[in-house]
Amino acid sequence: MKGNSSKITFAFFILTIVLFRKRKRKYWEEEEFEEDVSNNSVSKRGVAAMAQGSSYWESFMCCLENPCDPQTNPEGYIALCTAENKLIQEILASRLMHQSTAITAFSDSSSYCYGSFLGLPSAREAAAYFLQKRFLMRPQHAGMHRVDSMTVPLTSLSRCESGCRFSHDASFINPEHIALGAGVNSLISQMLYILAQPGDVVLIPAPFYATFEYDARTIAGCAIYPVYMNDPIVGPTKTDLDHVTRVVENHGKRVRVLLLTNPNDPLGVIYKPSVMRDAVQWARTRKV
């Protein structure tokens, strides 16, 4: 049984890559969309946004309207286009419904008032602590000091022109460098709108989550171009990135953003730290 499971997983992995490579549309070419909207209450931009929906959206709606249940609706649909961690749902629900959680999260008046558009300071501090502990292996300790809703080591504090203090220590995560948003799709859209110009190219290792293309095009007006890697298990290399950049530039476009998801979605491959560092170094060298 284990051997059959491995074969199915491998077959799905190969099929995903093959289907992605067979897509013939030129990602760097901007799509033209013309429609008479003179008698339409929706703007041209609105109509164009609806026309750029994900290819699987209609099928996904069917899955939501008629979900499969082994007991009550065995003939329903199963959405294979989503990745949800259902293993933690009961644990998360129990934690959120606990009385202490409500007291901690909503006792401060700042939770009900206008504040930073980056998110509640307490939530950003909690996110910084979690990321620091889990990824940098540096838990908060006695050497940390709270400054202006931040938690940073005293020895690494500096002053900016406005007088605020911040940390240069790369071994600690500064909450002021964290922004909270309503999901990765809106955050990607906002980031590209800020960093890129309409028509700029965003490189994404292929295969990638289909909605990324929609996120890049709809508001920011960017073009997606897939990075076909020599070895998808290893991840993008400098050679892979240089090759696709030459192709994009030959078509008169500018590469502005390199978007990496780790683990890769949909392959689930976890890139090694060296791969991530090399990608960051490539982007810095290219001023991407």
Side-chain angles (χ1 to χ4, degrees), residues 210-229:
T211 307
F212 286 162
E213 185 176 356
Y214 180 82
D215 301 334
R217 287 176 176 270
T218 305
I219 296 178
C222 294
I224 292 292
Y225 194 86
V227 180
Y228 294 113
M229 298 170 284

Side-chain angles (χ1 to χ4, degrees), residues 96 98-113 120 122-123:
L96 292 176
H98 199 278
Q99 185 178 3
S100 62
T101 302
I103 294 175
T104 302
F106 304 109
S107 59
D108 195 315
S109 60
S110 64
S111 300
Y112 308 96
C113 305
L120 291 173
S122 58

Side-chain angles (χ1 to χ4, degrees), residues 40-62:
N40 198 333
S41 60
V42 179
S43 67
K44 286 185 177 181
R45 290 180 298 183
V47 174
M50 289 186 290
Q52 295 179 23
S54 301
S55 58
Y56 61 83
W57 188 255
E58 184 176 348
S59 298
F60 179 53
M61 289 296 102
C62 290

Side-chain angles (χ1 to χ4, degrees), residues 1-6:
M1 184 67 182
K2 183 177 180 180
N4 291 335
S5 177
S6 299

